[in-house]
Amino acid sequence: MIRTVLVMTNDDRVHPFKIDVPQADLDDLTERLARTRWAPELPGDDPWARGVPTAYLRELATYWLDEYDWRTQEARLDELPGFLTDIDGQPVHFLHVRSPESGALPLMLVHGWPGSIVEFLDVIGPLTDPAAHGGDPADAFHVVVPSIPGFGWSSPLSGPGWTADRVASAFVDLMARLGYERYGVQGGDYGAIIAPAMGRQAPDAVAGIHVNAATGGFMSFAPPSDDELATMTDAEKVRLARLGHYAQEQMGYVQLQSTRPQTLAHGLTDSPAGQLAWIVEKFKEWTGDPGGLPEASVDRDHLLTNVMLYWLTGTAGSSADFYYEGTHDAAGGGWGAEIERSPVPTGVAVFPQDIAIRRYAEVSNTITHWSEFDEGGHFAAMEVPDLLVEDVRTFFRTVR
């Protein structure tokens, strides 16, 4: 049974929140996994070419059933101060971890899809208390990690219209509600769309923006001209080719989530194996070692905890609906929409599997920091947390 704690509408107070999943929900998951009806394998030389192979999924689901311990992961999450508040009639769940350093800069971390607050578990400690992790106390942050409305415990959706711009507005309100007048924002995937939107809406409050796994506003969907192509570096050409492959082979989930999220929701909300496959495919394709298995880049328990946040909250449909809103937004703001240039200093970390290209990013962003890495991938906070933390520290030293 899916249970969500609601906050009273128009109540702008911040309420402490503990996860504490009922045992009945875990028993239900166990029963469903144990009686999964497995799809026959499809023929072909490459077992991943047509999607997640049954043999791999079955083995991972067996690990989920027999070895994965949610209560251990739940306790780890509940060690971090969690809260719920109501913004514009919408429950918003977030972590708020204050640094022991009095001069720390507030920093919001924003996930994307198929991520969650779980993405940031390995970076919160080094960001909030650098001295305890071999760093400089001057680099400390007070960290706020919200769940996008429709994701995790920021559910159920209060109504339609939760676009990236509206989420950005809610997150600006959240930082003000917490008493932060000046702060930074870091985001990956859809978080790399929401974070710059916050800067455009509140340029006097947002001191700086740092992104990874950036797409909209940081690259172009239009083919380059011959003259433009002639001036591109080898790395830029590789990212163009990666974008072409993505458009040809990996856009199915976008088309479905952008058009019929409710149809998708029925299958993923009923079948944990289906929910697992839908998410693990992206960890296979987008991590730093796409030729290997997902757990070559992200620990299995960490990956499964991320999946659990979708399963336990029944948010397969409402998280997918974020794509529907983005492509049906009459005011624009979709993937290919023209974006107003942001005056806020912006740092970009480009990891393998990313497609950001600086010449395009500079059209709509004030780029003051650009880093390129040889390891890591789309889920940098989970794959290479040390690299991401150091890049965040380096960038924000310039705007403190």
Side-chain angles (χ1 to χ4, degrees):
M1 180 182 296
I2 298 163
R3 297 172 173 86
T4 303
V5 179
L6 294 176
V7 181
M8 291 178 59
T9 302
N10 298 322
D11 177 2
D12 63 1
R13 292 174 296 172
V14 172
H15 302 260
F17 175 80
K18 290 290 185 182
I19 297 172
D20 193 21
V21 171
Q23 186 59 41
D25 291 3
L26 301 181
D27 293 342
D28 176 72
L29 170 62
T30 296
E31 293 170 5
R32 289 171 185 269
L33 283 171
R35 54 185 173 84
T36 301
R37 184 184 183 207
W38 298 102
E41 294 280 17
L42 295 176
D45 295 333
D46 181 353
W48 284 87
R50 292 167 172 81
V52 182
T54 297
Y56 172 78
L57 186 66
R58 189 165 191 166
E59 194 274 329
L60 183 57
T62 299
Y63 178 87
W64 192 5
L65 175 64
D66 295 336
E67 299 183 53
Y68 174 81
D69 183 1
W70 164 253
R71 292 303 186 195
T72 297
Q73 304 303 319
E74 180 183 71
R76 183 186 181 192
L77 284 164
D78 275 341
E79 286 176 355
L80 302 170
F83 302 90
L84 274 176
T85 193
D86 180 291
I87 301 177
D88 195 15
Q90 172 66 42
V92 175
H93 169 253
F94 62 98
L95 305 176
H96 185 196
V97 186
R98 290 187 59 85
S99 171
E101 305 295 336
S102 60
L105 177 70
L107 177 68
M108 177 175 279
L109 305 175
V110 187
H111 66 83
W113 185 94
S116 68
I117 60 170
V118 171
E119 282 190 64
F120 300 110
L121 290 181
D122 290 338
V123 303
I124 291 174
L127 290 173
T128 56
D129 193 1
H133 294 81
D136 185 345
D139 288 325
F141 298 93
H142 300 305
V143 171
V144 179
V145 189
S147 296
I148 295 172
F151 290 70
W153 285 279
S154 290
S155 59
L157 285 172
S158 61
W162 281 98
T163 63
D165 282 344
R166 187 177 178 190
V167 172
S169 177
F171 288 173
V172 167
D173 286 350
L174 174 60
M175 294 301 275
R177 188 170 297 184
L178 295 176
Y180 293 137
E181 298 179 352
R182 184 175 183 271
Y183 52 87
V185 189
Q186 199 287 328
D189 189 83
Y190 244 120
I193 293 176
I194 294 169
M198 292 175 66
R200 292 182 179 91
Q201 292 179 22
D204 293 335
V206 178
I209 297 158
H210 183 279
V211 299
N212 65 289
T215 53
F218 293 87
M219 40 76 68
S220 173
F221 288 95
S225 66
D226 291 342
D227 290 343
E228 190 176 17
L229 189 61
T231 65
M232 285 190 165
T233 65
D234 290 342
E236 290 174 332
K237 291 176 182 177
V238 166
R239 286 175 208 149
L240 278 179
R242 186 177 298 132
L243 176 60
H245 175 75
Y246 173 80
Q248 183 70 29
E249 293 288 337
Q250 298 182 10
M251 282 285 283
Y253 81 100
V254 173
Q255 294 298 326
L256 188 52
Q257 296 194 156
S258 296
T259 58
R260 297 295 184 270
Q262 187 65 60
T263 301
L264 175 67
H266 300 304
L268 301 190
T269 304
D270 185 62
S271 169
Q275 178 68 90
L276 178 61
W278 193 246
I279 290 178
V280 80
E281 177 187 277
K282 299 311 168 195
F283 277 82
K284 158 68 174 176
E285 294 175 340
W286 296 348
T287 48
D289 183 15
L293 296 177
E295 53 264 45
S297 299
V298 177
D299 175 76
R300 272 192 170 186
D301 285 355
H302 204 171
L303 189 158
L304 287 170
T305 301
N306 182 68
V307 174
M308 284 288 277
L309 260 66
Y310 287 81
W311 176 258
L312 293 171
T313 58
T315 49
S318 55
S319 60
D321 190 65
F322 195 50
Y323 284 76
Y324 183 94
E325 295 289 357
T327 55
H328 291 78
D329 179 12
W335 290 103
E338 183 176 345
I339 301 173
E340 175 189 353
R341 193 171 194 278
S342 168
V344 178
T346 299
V348 182
V350 184
F351 293 91
Q353 309 310 317
D354 290 349
I355 55 178
I357 295 176
R358 184 162 187 164
R359 67 180 69 200
Y360 299 134
E362 289 178 334
V363 173
S364 52
N365 303 277
T366 301
I367 305 298
T368 60
H369 172 91
W370 188 277
S371 299
E372 300 192 5
F373 296 90
D374 295 328
E375 58 180 308
H378 186 89
F379 304 96
M382 301 173 82
E383 299 178 65
V384 285
D386 291 347
L387 291 181
L388 182 64
V389 165
E390 188 53 41
D391 202 64
V392 168
R393 289 172 177 168
T394 299
F395 166 70
F396 278 103
R397 286 176 195 142
T398 68
V399 299
R400 284 180 179 270

